[in-house]
Amino acid sequence: MSRSFIFSSESVGEGHPDKVADTISDAILDACLTVDSKSRVACETFVKSNIVVVGGEITIPKIGQKPIGNVINIDKTIRDAVRGIGYVNDDDVFHADRIFINNYLTTQSPDIAQGVDAKKAAGKKTAEQGAGDQGIMFGYACDETPELMPAPIMFAHRLGRQLTKIRKAGKLAPWLRPDAKSQVSVEYVDGKPTRIVNVVISTQHAASASHKLIESFCIENVIRKVLPKRMLTKGTEFLINPTGKFVVGGPQGDSGLTGRKIIVDSYGGTGRHGGGAFSGKDPSKVDRSAAYMGRWVAKNIVAAGLASRVEIQFAYAIGHPLPVSVHVDSFGTGAISDAKILAAVKKVFSFKPADIVKQLNLLRPIYSKSTNYGHFGKINDKDITWEITNKADALRKAAK
């Protein structure tokens, strides 16, 4: 008997308040890594109305005890990030040139640094670099899309990218504004995505744009341009700006906070999430780097043909260089047993925090590229190293 179900995932645009916060946090992180690749950064951002608040801990070893402001213009970094999103319209309350910025960034706690740094300290069990925090991380991959990602979240991201592409081009729809959300519901039969049941798009717009114009534009120039034609049926329902009006948006309409879109950032709810946010954190924080590692491992398992769907989980203790556990689940899709997949993974990959950074070349100012439309599934950017399937052959050999 065939089993069918419907699964939905959402994405959000660059102008969504939470993504504005993520974008600012990652812009500050990249600015620090540009000055010193060994920077330690944990930057949180809050946005509301015309206010931006940044706080957290930053240590840039290269400048010693000098103020961060001597080498990084935090205000300019924030305003440039907001300008890049597109909050530059005359009627924007949250406007790149008119926002008020409150800066509460301090240096990293020496207690945390002592546990993480690659040197022996009193009470520390090893001289190797340890994890920047305790926690659990998951990686996931499946063969539903060319990106080896779940179909619902990838389709939702495609809609968001298309909206942004049109908006920033400016000519086709000058009434589009930065805040937007998308959602796609996909019917699965026997574990395979077969059709799109409904599509939801809510996009901020100028007051002059009619609902009829927005609806027809989004269906023809966004949905039908980027979603698979074979999966759009006569029964597919399109819900465009369901409330009828979306003029007040962004931080003017709602508050935003770094790390509040972790399911959008990962697998859209299909794969599990350890709970730690990504944006604003340097790669010594395993919330980010180990989640990237998990994706790299899972994607290579699927690319190697060892499973068509797989999830990997591992966990860390702060200051300790080795994961305290590693687990693989292929959900019954494995060409070999999960135990054999795990054994092959342990032969090919190292999960020590320092090795993760080295294997994925993470000490670079690349993180603003990851902020929007998911941290996973970006296969056309060589800087997104955790999407490269360069270990598939080694895994196949190890599995034999």
Side-chain angles (χ1 to χ4, degrees), residues 15-16 37 41-42 44 58 69 80 90 157 171 213-214 219 222-223 235 247 253 304-305 333 368 375 380 389 400:
H16 185 283
S37 65
V41 180
E44 311 287 345
I58 294 178
D80 286 349
D90 291 340
H157 287 328
K171 296 180 180 180
L213 168 66
I214 297 166
I219 292 172
V222 181
I223 295 171
V247 174
T333 70
S368 291
H375 290 243
N380 296 317
T389 53
K400 289 180 180 179

Side-chain angles (χ1 to χ4, degrees), residues 131 133-135 137 286 290 314-318 320-324 351 353 356:
D133 201 352
Q134 73 174 54
M137 295 82 206
V286 286
F314 39 107
Y316 290 94
I318 187 169
H320 193 61
L322 290 169
V324 295
F351 292 91
I356 291 175

Side-chain angles (χ1 to χ4, degrees), residues 76-342:
K76 183 178 185 302
T77 301
I78 293 171
R79 293 185 193 280
D80 286 349
V82 173
R83 189 173 294 108
I85 292 168
Y87 282 111
V88 292
N89 298 288
D90 291 340
D91 57 348
D92 285 336
V93 170
F94 188 82
H95 189 289
D97 297 325
R98 300 196 295 264
I99 50 177
F100 293 91
I101 297 171
N102 298 275
N103 182 351
Y104 300 104
L105 294 166
T106 63
T107 56
Q108 185 185 52
S109 161
D111 293 344
I112 295 175
Q114 173 178 287
V116 177
D117 289 344
K119 60 183 179 181
K120 193 70 182 290
K124 188 181 177 187
K125 293 182 179 298
T126 174
E128 293 186 78
Q129 178 180 329
D133 201 352
Q134 73 174 54
I136 58 174
M137 295 82 206
F138 289 91
Y140 183 89
C142 61
D143 62 1
E144 294 176 14
T145 63
E147 299 90 350
L148 302 186
M149 285 282 289
I153 188 65
M154 288 312 300
F155 293 165
H157 287 328
R158 288 182 196 176
L159 296 172
R161 284 197 191 95
Q162 178 73 354
L163 269 174
T164 299
K165 179 181 176 181
I166 293 170
R167 174 175 61 83
K168 291 187 175 181
K171 296 180 180 180
L172 192 58
W175 43 266
L176 281 172
R177 294 295 183 263
D179 196 356
K181 299 180 79 173
S182 57
Q183 183 174 287
V184 179
S185 300
V186 176
E187 183 180 39
Y188 285 74
V189 177
D190 292 334
K192 299 294 182 182
T194 59
R195 70 182 181 99
I196 294 172
V197 178
N198 57 61
V199 179
V200 184
I201 292 178
S202 295
T203 181
Q204 186 186 10
H205 59 89
S208 59
S210 69
H211 184 267
K212 185 177 180 180
L213 168 66
I214 297 166
E215 185 176 44
S216 61
F217 181 88
C218 287
I219 292 172
E220 297 304 322
N221 294 279
V222 181
I223 295 171
R224 295 197 185 279
K225 289 288 185 182
V226 300
L227 296 186
K229 291 181 175 60
R230 62 179 177 81
M231 295 186 70
L232 293 172
T233 70
K234 291 182 179 180
T236 300
E237 184 180 20
F238 302 131
L239 299 168
I240 312 300
N241 280 16
T243 63
K245 184 180 179 182
F246 187 5
V247 174
V248 177
Q252 179 187 358
D254 196 3
S255 61
L257 191 65
T258 299
R260 215 158 47 178
K261 284 292 174 283
I262 57 176
I263 300 303
V264 172
D265 287 345
S266 53
Y267 306 103
T270 299
R272 285 174 283 193
H273 194 292
F278 302 152
S279 290
K281 296 177 180 177
D282 75 86
S284 74
K285 280 73 172 174
V286 286
D287 280 340
R288 183 171 215 161
S289 57
Y292 290 176
M293 182 69 180
R295 167 61 179 169
W296 186 44
V297 173
K299 188 172 184 181
N300 275 273
I301 290 171
V302 174
L306 301 184
S308 59
R309 178 182 172 218
V310 71
E311 183 177 73
I312 184 168
Q313 185 218 47
F314 39 107
Y316 290 94
I318 187 169
H320 193 61
L322 290 169
V324 295
S325 69
V326 183
H327 171 68
V328 167
D329 187 352
S330 68
F331 307 98
T333 70
I336 57 176
S337 70
D338 290 351
K340 289 182 178 179
I341 294 175
L342 178 58

